Amino acid sequence: MTSRGAGTAFSRRNYRLSTESEKPKLTGIVNSKLLNDYLHRIFPSADGIQPATAYRKPLTFQNLQEHLDKLLAEDSGAEDSRDQVLEGRLGPSTVVLDHTSGFEGLLLVDDDLLGVIGHSNFGSIRATTCVYKGKWIYEVLISSQGLMQIGWCTLNCRFNQEEGVGDTLDSYAYDGNRVRKWNVTTTNYGKSWAAGDIVSCLIDLDEGTIAFCLNGVSLGTAFDNITRGAGMAYFPAISLSFKESVAFNFGSRPLRYPVEGYRPLQDPPSVDLVKAHKLLGYLKNVIHIGIDVLEGKLVEKDTSTWQLQGEPTVLITLTHIFNHFAPLMCKVYLVDDVLMHFLLSILERGGAVEAHPLIQQLLDLMWLLMEDYEVHECLKQLLMSLLRAYRFSPIIPDLGLQIHYLRLTIAVLKHEKSRKYLLNNVLFDVLRSVVFFYIKSPLRVEEAGLQELIPTTWWPNRFTKEGKESKEVKEESAEERLRRRAYDRGCQRLKKRIEVVEELQVQILKLLLNNKDRGGGEASRYIFLNKFRRFLQENASNRGNLTVLCPPEYMVCFLHRLISTLRCYWDGHKAKAPAALSSEEAYVPPQLFYNGKVDYFDLQRLGGLLSHLKKTLKDDLALKANILIDPAELQAVTMDDLDEDEETATSTAQRPVAALAIGGALARPSWLSSPTLGRANRFLSTAAVSLMNPRRPLGTLEKMKARTLSVEQRTEDDIEGSHGNEGLLLGRPPEEPEQSITENSLLEILDGIVMMYNLSVHQQLGKMVGVSDDVNEYALALKDTEEKISRCPKRRRDIYEELVKSQKVFSEKLNHLSRRLAWINVTIYSKEKMQDIYWLLRVCIRTIEHGDRTGSLFAFMPEFYLSVAMNSYSALKNYFSPVHSMEELPGYEETLTHLAAILAKHFADSRIVGTDIRDSLMQALASYVCYPHSLRAVERIPEEQRISMMRNLLAPYEQRPWAQTNWILVRLWRGCGFGYRYTRLPHLLKTKPEDANLPSLQKPCPSTLLQQHMANLLRSDCDMAPSFLNSVLNQLNWAFSEFIGMIQEIQQAAERLERNFVDSRQLKVCATCFDLSVSLLRVLEMTVTLAPEIFLDWSRPSSELLLRRLAQLLNQVLNRVTAERNLFDRVVNLRLPGLESVDHYPILVAVTGILVRLLMDTDFQGAKRATAVLLADPCFQLRSIQYLLGHAEPSALAAMPPSADKRHFSLHTSLPSADTDYISLEELAKVERMLSHLSEESKQAAASTLPTSEEDLCPICYAHPISAIFRPCSHKSCKACINQHLMNNKDCFFCKATITGVDDFIKPVSS
């Protein structure tokens, strides 16, 4: 369109106007009389009185411009006060934050100088304008609900990193985080604020008072008798802590909650406002009044169906209107106050958005009659106003305000040209449009109307969280049943209202993902794809910069809406192409991970860095996927790595010192900033003002990935493919079926959804469970208080009254939390949301299975696919379970089995190199085997995979993280070992667990099937058993030695007379070493029980050595733990916090289990060998075995003073009772038989043992006779010492010669 000049006159020549009566019939241009009537109806005089026909001046298009200018100028003179200085105010007429000198600390300020983010401990900033007389108001839009103090200060106030607004004499502030007011001292005031609230700050300098309002509701006068007089003027000011953020409205936009008698600090554009309202009235007249050319008269028209229909008279009239209206629509205030409210009024008549085509017609007019730059600015400001209005609208029961703004957003985005412009330039670049998909949770349920919506509250009465198998089935009373049903009905009413909002949000995404609107350029979906990928990149590459990250609560809502939209389009494509997969079978094909068509930024792959994989797997890429890697490209990647390092060093060296101190200036858009959600590009520091150090463009990093096209360069053909080009599916491996999946663009969106879940959604799902935990805590407190009231004696009236007060507080809090929990359950933990997460889990499982089939190319898969598979299962099991059960989901058992197969196969997969992801897989498998339903899923995987998993678990413990491996084996055994049927230790039964949902606190659920696989592997593989058991014995020796060393230090610290504290970390490490020792002993018990021949069949190599090592360690443990008044006893009796698990029972019962298996539960020959080895160990003491049954030494009993609370450990005290089952009678009988057996054998051994001279003892251990001679050096030792030595070293003890063999040594008779 050619540029228009201001005040352009439209001549007859330009528009070929004619006044001939016959012309209208041919061309649609009306005669002069009808035109005169029409124009006078459209442009009436200011007083609204139409002059008589005979006296009014005829209006034509020639003099319309003059007439219009006169109308618009009528009221401008009286109201034009923009250049006048308003009494009571000093400073610029445009009020912004003072980013030059009026701040303290580190701050980020938006480009419009109205939004601010704290970037230091407690930064402060004031406005550029002050007031000294009159009544004034400004608004603060709260973007985060943390620590902030908002109010007024004078120029003389001096702030620092500890003291801000309200902490000095002449500054006054309101703090909604701590619900207090501040002026040097502080007192309670107001209500708590939340993100999305608006605080109005009012000052009356005539009366000397300061007050605040929250969402338009007055909080009352906060301060009176404030200091006034000469030199006293007050600035709007704020102090805020790190990452807290707000936006100010001094009057640049209409106040959301104006207060009568108070003026905003910045005057509204009164003249422009009058003009805009007049012009809007003329525009409405055009819409209401039509011309019946055939009848020659004016007619009233239905505005809902108005269309331009190419009428030249109407078009020229509109051109005159827009000539004045267009420049005004570029101004923020006018768009917000005039245009947005007009468009909203169109939709107020109700009905679907499609029933109001007038908005589409108006947008067509704007694009036709306004300059492009004017339309662009107008649309940008309109969407900005809608976003602000949506985000900061208060929650009301029917969510009517949110629905209103979303409907208008849909109406605007339905216009194709407007939608594409906004997608290309505004929605992700200027605005944070993800806010449109967020439904904020009300912090104050009363103001949100939830009391009316959910009048009856209810909370569950189950107070155990031991898992589904241990839930108490408690009969609920009739009253409770009625309350629960009423509460459920209220929740359903709330759900229906929220579903309306969610459906509107999905409609917005459907418009953005439209791929059929190719008129005038690229379809919307492909613009969205590129912007969406950049959005993911910002959130993946700036994990340490909180101001750039999208808040996780927004991500959760965005994820669910995106899943709904994606599945709708996916199944729509399936309906058109039956050969394609349905969304229930969706997965991401493996070629997306290595063909370079989708950018994964710097995210870790399973096999390591992408550049490394391209070098090492280039032959596999060429063979399997027909993708060739150019050697020059690899060299370029290497050189780019060097350039990156050099540039980083150079930029760091050139950066100002102050910027280095705070990690550099931040030049990215901020999520925490202005509610317009624009760019926060100004970095303010009291050391160096406005440090500007923009980071490198994101695109430069893409060279490292050897990509073909950057995100911005991709076209529809590059994504969808055409004419033999497979697009995103380039490089299909032979293992991948040729079947069509869906549209390629939907595959990339699906990939982005999985990435979104990994970035922050999972953490947010876990965080919101805290509300449910709070309900349980308060319910427990209320129940306890009610029980105390029932037991309170009548004479103690004071106690009774205090208990009643507590009961009232707990009840009110529970009423509040139960309503808030209803909102959270509907928006986050509803059944539909659970199905979304379950669908995502299945997508990840199928994607991993397809990728696994590609062999070595599996290494290209990003790590987050495995992470999301594990985390989404965890979320379904732990976060949704209080409301919905995972067992209700379709295909639940099959999904568990597939996930079990993935964990079993990949926790030791050599293609996965990242230590973090390997640890995560191991931990997930360890948690998996703790629950019966998931353990059964492991047992259902193919036998070959089960055996492979057990073989990997039995690999030697050296050179790898072994604690989780050992934990898995322990869980497979728990429930089968000696006295190993407990969930919690005996001495902890009376204490409350911190979290009863922990895997370690689940009921035992052993797997005999997997135990059998373990036994077969240890029996059949002669090399596996010795290497595995030696590593277990080595780790047991280390863990128990570390434990003993630590408790020695703890005991020494406890015995000091001076006040001292034991480091909590040291206590934790000590307890961990103890737990590791117990679990290693249990694995040894498991091995001895399942395959005793490994120790007792001395025809097997290393059997005798293993048995001697085992006996040695068992005797050491027994001696340390069972000695009277020893170190272990003293530390256990201290009962230090952090050492709760350290007790006699777990470790002694584990040792007893091994001894019973070796001595009592084997054949005669095995028991004989085990007894001989045990008694031959010099550390063996019979009193240690006697200690197990409570038989203390007589000398110790005589020396000890009598103590009523001193109790000796004894297995007799752990016999089964009504509520415990620790040691069975059968197990106790075996221990008694074992004691008798060892007593008898030790007497016989002592009687038959001949004295051995010192010369005949092993020179290494001095515990056993010499029994082995080395070749070739002929040095001697006992077999135990040399066999243990040869495990790690082949050199002789004495001469360091290489030992080639070991022979039995028999002492000559003559000697």
Side-chain angles (χ1 to χ4, degrees), residues 363-381:
L363 289 170
D364 282 335
L365 279 178
M366 291 169 64
W367 283 101
L368 178 66
L369 301 176
M370 294 169 66
E371 298 290 353
D372 285 349
Y373 74 87
E374 293 172 334
V375 184
H376 295 168
E377 184 64 21
C378 179
L379 287 174
K380 183 181 82 171
Q381 296 299 340

Side-chain angles (χ1 to χ4, degrees), residues 690-755:
S690 192
L691 296 175
M692 297 296 290
N693 182 40
R695 71 178 189 181
R696 297 178 66 193
L698 291 171
T700 57
L701 297 175
E702 292 160 357
K703 291 189 291 184
M704 296 181 63
K705 299 170 178 56
R707 301 200 52 227
T708 307
L709 292 172
S710 69
V711 170
E712 291 80 4
Q713 292 172 320
R714 296 188 309 171
T715 63
E716 180 179 345
D717 289 344
D718 295 318
I719 296 171
E720 300 291 1
S722 62
H723 309 297
N725 170 25
E726 294 183 274
L728 293 183
L729 299 182
L730 175 71
R732 182 180 61 82
E735 298 84 2
E736 186 68 12
E738 296 186 19
Q739 178 187 11
S740 169
I741 303 174
T742 187
E743 297 170 283
N744 291 356
S745 52
L746 298 181
L747 293 174
E748 184 173 339
I749 295 173
L750 176 58
D751 175 78
I753 289 173
V754 178
M755 190 188 299

